[in-house]
Amino acid sequence: MTPEAAPAPDSRPNPFRLERGGPVAPRSGLLATAHGVVRTPAFMPVGTQATVKGLSPDEIRAAGTQILLANTYHLMLRPGADLVRERGGLHAFMGWDGAILTDSGGYQVVSLRERVAIREEGVAFHSHLDGHPEFLSPERAMEIQADLGPDIAVTLDHAVSLPASPEDVRDAAERTLRWTERSLARAAALSTPTGLPQLRFAIVQGGGDPALRAEMAERTSRLPCDGFALGGLSLGEAKEETWSAARAANGSLPADRPRYLMGMGTPEDLLEGIAAGVDLFDCVLPTRNARNGMAFTSDGPLNIRNAEHARSGAPLDPRCSCEACARFTRAYLRHLHQAGEILAHRMLTLHNVTFYQTLMREAREAIDRGAFDAFGGEFRRRYRDTRAADSP
Amino acid sequence: MTPEAAPAPDSRPNPFRLERGGPVAPRSGLLATAHGVVRTPAFMPVGTQATVKGLSPDEIRAAGTQILLANTYHLMLRPGADLVRERGGLHAFMGWDGAILTDSGGYQVVSLRERVAIREEGVAFHSHLDGHPEFLSPERAMEIQADLGPDIAVTLDHAVSLPASPEDVRDAAERTLRWTERSLARAAALSTPTGLPQLRFAIVQGGGDPALRAEMAERTSRLPCDGFALGGLSLGEAKEETWSAARAANGSLPADRPRYLMGMGTPEDLLEGIAAGVDLFDCVLPTRNARNGMAFTSDGPLNIRNAEHARSGAPLDPRCSCEACARFTRAYLRHLHQAGEILAHRMLTLHNVTFYQTLMREAREAIDRGAFDAFGGEFRRRYRDTRAADSP
């Protein structure tokens, strides 16, 4: 961290207390939000449309969730940010009193690709719902997030899919930095529906190039934000490239501020990310894969469609105590899945989110007793992922 | 009731205690099953595939459910009765420790119509899942239900859609009576997976003709069964015809045995059926309509898709205390429904089943204090169904 990196973030009170670890090492900490303290490292289940698909707020909590993610892009289109503000913000709207982070919408907009035009002013795109033309600027992204009222808002970024030319990668990273400045300037003038404070995380881009990542992290860390998000990773580069880029960025961010790795998360990714100094994660894998019949277990992923489970009296995971494992056999859950029943989606989702949250809690405990490496090794020895790599 | 009607049912111990009312009047009673006492009149939510679509067993119970219905036809095809027996029967399989009634499969088989051949021996049909040829005889219907292990099994019947010729109606009613005798004879030799006793309800047919219904009720009541089911109603006849047929049948059944009106149940139908002396009901309306966005409320049905609910901070029904009404606004539930989210189906289903069970509980209480007519009048004054008749 260069000397000039420190001042600006420190101009805002630090919501994070680092308890163990350093800039590029397994860390544990406490992140104070308007809806409670989040113990990190923490995993955020994805609630794209203001609901974690299939689960009630009580179940999201019972799974061990402290903070969830909702998507600005989807909510700005439906039901609309003004409606959510009118109903008191996301927490009141969806009946969730834990912490919420919203992304900025940048990733979703760009992933639509062919219907998108990126200009310096912002991103013009068409709604995936009805083709309506829309425009998202850095300022607008923060206005929408102020209306939604999450505990943590994220600045607008420009991500590029890899492979891309070094020029394109730098161009997007530089634009992201300019957009971050504009996002933060606009956010300073906004307020949430409840009047409760909102933290601001700035996205660091830079593709798979560690030097560029380090540079962008260092320059971003001079801006008046509360925490940082690593964007544009796992977008086509090799896994080693992902982690060296993440490590380079984390090494150039202030050690005492929270870092969030966006949109990545097999169980192995979480362990790798924690080792690289990441505090917050989100990923659709536990929820999306559940609806496809895939359950995460201590022994590795399990496909409930497989005939071997048809008459099984065993739970999904004998080491799990979620409602799905406490109440139902694989035979019943397979029947429900084969019959297309909602309860299958519910129960596999509940189990998978519980599995992720249990993994994170155990990782935190291992960090706190200085035994993270042993914990990770033990997990990997038992966990066998025999499938082809499953990307989000 | 003619003198010769009494002997046979009385040869089996009566699981029912009539507390208030007579043969064709609002009644309250206690129906003892292997999984608890059911206070009647009672409504059975439909769990076609061994799950009440969208709800967990705890939620089914929290809604006020004492007994639910599962479908023999669907379960014999998937996952198969032998698998359910191997897993300990329906209660263990689906994690429900309340009472269960299964129908005989007769109605589903016949409603497939063009792929069905009805012979004296039984019904040949093709699976709706894979076209596989299947055969359901009275004996087989009871064997399957013994494997499934519900608290109440129902004999195989032959229903006819109306209008039909008097000859066809009598022919089906007479065949039903012969099949009932064969069903009951076979059931006597069977046992459930748990060894717990299973009650047997005999179906009474007879179309919309009160005289034939009375005759068939009287002749069926001589057979060694525990209770009776009124089948083949609401299959095309006018409502007045339905109720005069139901009243005629109930007038010729032993007053002290339970009667179950199969597959009918708008809220108004439940009140009408109770007035006609019915003890048990089932219907897909509360669950199926929930998934289509229709909520039953004290003021009548409500369609959550309607734009008028888009910004509403009101619950579905201010008089309801279910999780959906306690936690969520119409605005949020509408958003979830429009976005195709599972939580919308869950919450509207939970609400509708709660609404039905609350109606039944209040009806029982009104009967017990001798005020059923006043209760029904008050309900109807408030409840406004402005839709076109919505049939199951």
Side-chain angles (χ1 to χ4, degrees):
Chain A
M1 190 167 74
T2 54
E4 67 270 31
D10 288 351
S11 70
R12 288 176 64 85
N14 192 349
F16 187 67
R17 192 174 92 213
L18 184 65
E19 298 210 304
R20 301 272 306 213
V24 191
R27 304 146 50 94
S28 71
L30 303 173
L31 174 60
T33 78
H35 288 83
V37 170
V38 175
R39 300 190 68 90
T40 63
F43 176 78
M44 302 183 282
V46 176
T48 297
Q49 304 192 108
T51 172
V52 176
K53 289 188 191 302
L55 301 187
S56 73
D58 285 350
E59 290 164 344
I60 298 168
R61 179 71 80 178
T65 302
Q66 310 171 81
I67 178 169
L68 59 78
L69 177 144
N71 287 115
T72 292
Y73 167 81
H74 290 85
L75 295 171
M76 71 181 276
L77 299 181
R78 182 174 60 195
D82 60 324
L83 188 150
V84 175
R85 174 177 277 274
E86 187 179 321
R87 296 260 38 89
L90 270 179
H91 298 85
F93 186 57
M94 65 186 288
W96 168 251
D97 61 4
I100 301 177
L101 175 147
T102 49
D103 64 5
S104 60
Y107 173 75
Q108 276 77 18
V109 162
V110 172
S111 65
L112 295 176
R113 197 72 59 90
E114 71 275 28
R115 312 203 64 193
V116 167
I118 297 174
R119 302 193 283 265
E120 185 59 24
E121 175 56 22
V123 188
F125 64 99
H126 292 81
S127 162
H128 74 285
L129 296 177
D130 58 7
H132 193 268
E134 303 275 351
F135 190 77
L136 195 63
S137 64
E139 291 80 9
R140 181 90 189 102
M142 302 316 283
E143 289 160 6
I144 292 167
Q145 291 179 85
D147 285 344
L148 298 175
D151 301 279
I152 306 175
V154 170
T155 56
L156 189 66
D157 66 325
H158 177 187
V160 282
S161 288
L162 301 178
S165 72
E167 293 71 28
D168 285 351
V169 172
R170 173 165 286 277
D171 180 61
E174 296 281 357
R175 179 167 302 104
T176 296
L177 192 63
R178 292 190 296 274
W179 284 2
T180 303
E181 294 189 72
R182 285 170 52 191
S183 295
L184 295 173
R186 181 70 186 116
L190 301 170
S191 64
T192 61
T194 54
L196 288 170
Q198 187 172 72
L199 303 176
R200 300 158 201 158
F201 279 21
I203 299 186
V204 174
Q205 287 288 354
D209 175 2
L212 183 59
R213 283 275 171 184
E215 176 193 333
M216 300 316 299
E218 190 275 323
R219 290 167 63 191
T220 305
S221 69
R222 295 181 209 165
L223 304 177
C225 59
D226 302 293
F228 303 90
L230 308 184
L233 289 172
S234 208
L235 284 185
E237 80 283 10
K239 280 272 183 188
E240 312 84 72
E241 217 178 340
T242 303
W243 296 121
S244 67
R247 286 172 171 269
N250 282 344
S252 296
L253 290 173
D256 64 347
R257 293 273 171 171
R259 307 82 175 273
Y260 153 40
L261 176 58
M262 306 183 85
M264 277 187 67
T266 62
E268 295 99 325
D269 286 340
L270 299 185
L271 294 177
E272 201 70 45
I274 290 172
V278 173
D279 303 308
L280 283 173
F281 299 86
D282 81 287
C283 191
V284 295
L285 275 184
T287 42
R288 180 181 296 164
N289 285 15
R291 301 193 301 281
N292 293 328
M294 200 276 255
F296 290 92
T297 82
S298 314
D299 298 313
L302 165 164
N303 192 327
I304 200 65
R305 289 186 301 250
N306 285 352
E308 61 176 309
H309 306 303
R311 292 171 180 271
S312 168
L316 288 176
D317 187 343
R319 303 190 353 156
C320 178
S321 59
C322 79
E323 186 184 357
C325 290
R327 301 286 294 270
F328 302 117
T329 60
R330 294 183 184 183
Y332 182 60
L333 295 171
R334 179 178 190 272
H335 163 65
L336 292 180
H337 185 84
Q338 299 297 84
E341 287 285 353
I342 289 174
L343 193 57
H345 304 325
R346 280 184 63 173
M347 288 297 133
L348 265 71
T349 302
L350 180 61
H351 169 74
N352 282 353
V353 175
T354 303
F355 182 85
Y356 267 61
Q357 301 296 11
T358 303
L359 174 62
M360 294 305 273
R361 179 174 49 74
E362 291 177 351
R364 276 198 303 278
E365 291 165 359
I367 292 167
D368 285 342
R369 63 174 190 271
F372 179 75
D373 285 355
F375 169 78
E378 200 184 319
F379 179 88
R380 288 191 182 87
R381 266 189 300 282
R382 179 163 181 155
Y383 188 87
R384 286 278 170 266
D385 192 343
T386 53
R387 303 163 307 140
D390 196 340
S391 67
Chain B
M1 192 169 68
T2 55
E4 67 269 30
D10 289 350
S11 69
R12 287 177 63 85
N14 192 350
F16 188 68
R17 192 173 94 213
L18 184 65
E19 298 210 304
R20 301 272 306 214
V24 191
R27 305 144 52 92
S28 70
L30 303 173
L31 175 59
T33 78
H35 288 82
V37 170
V38 176
R39 299 191 69 90
T40 63
F43 176 77
M44 302 183 283
V46 176
T48 297
Q49 304 192 106
T51 172
V52 177
K53 288 187 192 303
L55 301 187
S56 73
D58 285 349
E59 289 165 344
I60 300 168
R61 178 72 79 178
T65 303
Q66 311 171 81
I67 177 170
L68 58 79
L69 176 144
N71 287 116
T72 292
Y73 167 80
H74 290 85
L75 294 171
M76 69 180 279
L77 299 181
R78 182 174 61 195
D82 60 323
L83 188 149
V84 175
R85 174 177 277 274
E86 187 179 321
R87 296 257 42 86
L90 270 179
H91 298 84
F93 186 57
M94 65 185 288
W96 168 250
D97 62 2
I100 301 177
L101 176 147
T102 48
D103 63 5
S104 60
Y107 174 74
Q108 277 78 16
V109 162
V110 172
S111 64
L112 296 177
R113 199 71 61 88
E114 72 276 26
R115 312 202 65 192
V116 167
I118 297 174
R119 301 193 283 264
E120 186 59 23
E121 175 56 21
V123 188
F125 64 99
H126 293 79
S127 162
H128 73 285
L129 297 177
D130 58 9
H132 192 268
E134 303 273 352
F135 191 75
L136 195 64
S137 65
E139 292 79 9
R140 181 90 190 102
M142 303 315 283
E143 289 159 7
I144 292 166
Q145 291 179 85
D147 285 344
L148 297 175
D151 301 279
I152 306 174
V154 170
T155 56
L156 189 67
D157 66 325
H158 177 187
V160 283
S161 288
L162 300 177
S165 72
E167 294 69 29
D168 285 350
V169 173
R170 172 164 288 277
D171 180 61
E174 295 282 356
R175 178 166 304 102
T176 295
L177 192 63
R178 292 190 296 273
W179 284 2
T180 303
E181 295 189 71
R182 286 169 53 193
S183 294
L184 295 174
R186 181 69 188 118
L190 301 170
S191 65
T192 62
T194 54
L196 290 169
Q198 186 171 74
L199 303 175
R200 301 158 201 158
F201 279 21
I203 299 186
V204 174
Q205 288 288 354
D209 174 2
L212 183 58
R213 283 274 170 184
E215 177 194 332
M216 299 316 298
E218 190 276 321
R219 291 167 63 191
T220 305
S221 69
R222 296 180 208 165
L223 303 177
C225 59
D226 302 293
F228 303 90
L230 308 185
L233 287 172
S234 207
L235 285 185
E237 79 281 11
K239 280 272 183 189
E240 312 84 72
E241 218 178 338
T242 304
W243 297 120
S244 67
R247 286 171 171 271
N250 281 344
S252 295
L253 290 172
D256 64 347
R257 293 272 171 172
R259 309 82 174 272
Y260 153 40
L261 176 58
M262 305 182 84
M264 277 187 67
T266 64
E268 296 99 324
D269 286 340
L270 299 185
L271 295 177
E272 201 71 44
I274 290 171
V278 173
D279 303 308
L280 284 173
F281 299 86
D282 81 286
C283 191
V284 295
L285 275 185
T287 43
R288 179 180 297 165
N289 285 16
R291 299 192 303 281
N292 293 328
M294 200 276 254
F296 290 92
T297 82
S298 315
D299 299 314
L302 166 164
N303 191 328
I304 200 65
R305 289 185 301 251
N306 285 352
E308 61 177 309
H309 305 303
R311 292 171 180 270
S312 169
L316 288 176
D317 188 343
R319 302 188 356 153
C320 179
S321 59
C322 79
E323 186 185 357
C325 291
R327 301 286 294 270
F328 303 117
T329 60
R330 293 183 184 183
Y332 182 60
L333 295 170
R334 179 178 190 271
H335 163 65
L336 293 179
H337 185 83
Q338 300 298 86
E341 287 286 353
I342 289 174
L343 193 57
H345 304 326
R346 281 183 61 172
M347 288 298 132
L348 265 71
T349 302
L350 179 62
H351 169 74
N352 282 353
V353 175
T354 303
F355 182 85
Y356 266 61
Q357 301 296 12
T358 304
L359 175 62
M360 294 305 273
R361 179 174 50 74
E362 291 177 351
R364 277 198 303 278
E365 291 165 359
I367 292 167
D368 286 341
R369 64 173 190 270
F372 178 76
D373 285 354
F375 168 79
E378 199 183 319
F379 178 89
R380 287 192 183 88
R381 266 189 300 281
R382 178 162 182 156
Y383 188 88
R384 286 279 170 266
D385 193 343
T386 52
R387 304 163 307 142
D390 195 341
S391 68

